[in-house]
Amino acid sequence: MSFTACKKVGITLISVEGKNIPSSSGIVVKNCEDIAINNTFIKVVNQPLVSIDNQKLDIQNSKTNTGASLKDDLK
């Protein structure tokens, strides 16, 4: 899933699985404003969440396949 230059996006109750594709990221959010990610599960080989130049990114109750919080895994 990729979002670029979006405003007021809600991503809720989504499961993203990369099926072992080496270059796959889960969710990519770039140049967005007011993004909420809630109750989401991501299992991919690459980064679960890629955030570039965003404002107001809120992550709640979202995890990776290792059980790590998506918020803590954000780089």
Side-chain angles (χ1 to χ4, degrees):
M1 299 179 77
S2 181
F3 300 89
T4 303
C6 296
K7 291 184 180 181
K8 297 184 180 181
V9 174
I11 302 167
T12 304
L13 296 171
I14 298 292
S15 178
V16 178
E17 295 190 39
K19 305 287 184 191
N20 297 324
I21 300 168
S23 63
S24 68
S25 295
I27 299 174
V28 178
V29 184
K30 183 176 180 181
N31 298 318
C32 292
E33 182 180 331
D34 199 12
I35 306 297
I37 301 174
N38 300 299
N39 300 308
T40 297
F41 173 79
I42 300 178
K43 179 182 179 181
V44 292
V45 177
N46 205 4
Q47 283 299 114
L49 175 62
V50 177
S51 175
I52 303 167
D53 297 327
N54 298 298
Q55 296 177 13
K56 299 180 185 176
L57 177 63
D58 182 40
I59 304 168
Q60 301 293 325
N61 301 317
S62 296
K63 302 214 178 273
T64 68
N65 62 306
T66 64
S69 168
L70 195 57
K71 185 185 294 187
D72 295 339
D73 195 65
L74 183 62
K75 294 180 181 176

